[in-house]
Amino acid sequence: MNIDLIANALFFFCKIWEDILGFENAEFYIKRWPQLDGLRFENVLISFPDAIPCGIKVAADGGKINLNPDDKYVIKEGDEVLVIAEDDDTYAPSAIPKVCAGLCPNTVEPPKYPEKILFCGWRRDIDDMILVLEASLPLGSELWMFNEVQEKEREKKLTDGGLDISRLENIKLVHREGNAVIRRHLESLPLETFDSSKRLPYKETKPTSLRLSAFSHSSWIREMQQASDQSIIISEILDSRTRNLVSVSRISDYVLSNELVSMALAMVAEDKQINRVLEELFAEEGNEMCIKPAELYLYDQEELCFYDIMLRGRQRREVVIGYRLANTERAIINPSQKSAVRKWSHDDVFGHLHK
């Protein structure tokens, strides 16, 4: 397992959603372009220098939004194109560029191995998180739940939330009681054996002061780091001010959940159609945002333009939407100058839509 690659991918994944939901760099737009009628989606994909087409609103199907459609789908009268762009007036189709993408390397994706994940803390919708893990993790994985909620009460809360524990096949729930900020409690766990750890704020308790919250947060991170330098550490943060206080910690990533939810609501308020897009991307089935290593698309140090990579992604039934270069912190969504050729590394990662 390449821990650095996975950590980079997780960071990139969060930055993708911050960009798309944050109204700053890239967001979803749906618009009708009559000049595209008669074109196949594979040509529409590279027709926008300043946007990434990623779906079609099909007029003949009651306006259903088809994410990541088949390459052979032909745009018909009334169809609209879903794109990721900077703003609704910053993009338009142009002449189809000449692109010689070539073939993807004959690289087989590594098999998934069972994972051991630690959740510290509790939240009301943790049953939904468990279902997502059940759908994405391979058979034999374990989810350790470490918090102060008594085991019998946990089972009741999970059942009341709609989770049927007996139907979990891929993951096994392991319950432990304790406080994640008390050292002796953490030391009772086999911390060095976990592939990843996530700290969840207990949303049913009274809010604590920022200073106390940051102290307990940093304390938890320090204990996890001392236990294993191979574990991926992710933390959920409710107060955006805490982000600055924990940014100096060697943490794989953090999730500002309240901020992301607010961003999503704001985007849906601007265009209600986008709600259907977000519902599918966050659901257990259908298309989702994924991160993949560059070796699946190109050879190390190969020189390609971004259009080349987009078309190679279509060979894998994906819509490539951006990338993050090795040893950089910035994720590039909907890059400009898509025709510009550059040299790529196997340490780069790409973000895409995949079914």
Side-chain angles (χ1 to χ4, degrees), residues 100-117:
C100 299
L103 298 176
C104 287
N106 188 22
T107 303
V108 179
E109 289 195 50
K112 289 185 176 181
Y113 294 101
E115 296 187 32
K116 191 172 181 180
I117 298 175

Side-chain angles (χ1 to χ4, degrees), residues 12 290-292 294 297-298 309 320 322-323 344 348-352:
F12 182 22
C290 295
I291 310 297
K292 296 292 183 182
Y297 306 91
L298 49 86
I309 295 170
V320 180
Y323 61 87
W344 302 88
D348 302 330
V349 293
F350 291 96
H352 66 262

Side-chain angles (χ1 to χ4, degrees), residues 249-280:
S249 303
R250 186 170 56 87
I251 185 171
S252 305
D253 208 353
Y254 55 83
V255 178
L256 275 164
S257 55
N258 285 350
E259 190 171 293
L260 288 177
V261 170
S262 298
M263 290 176 178
L265 290 174
M267 179 173 288
V268 172
E270 184 175 288
D271 187 346
K272 294 182 179 179
Q273 300 177 98
I274 302 303
N275 186 48
R276 285 178 280 172
V277 178
L278 298 179
E279 280 183 347
E280 179 171 342

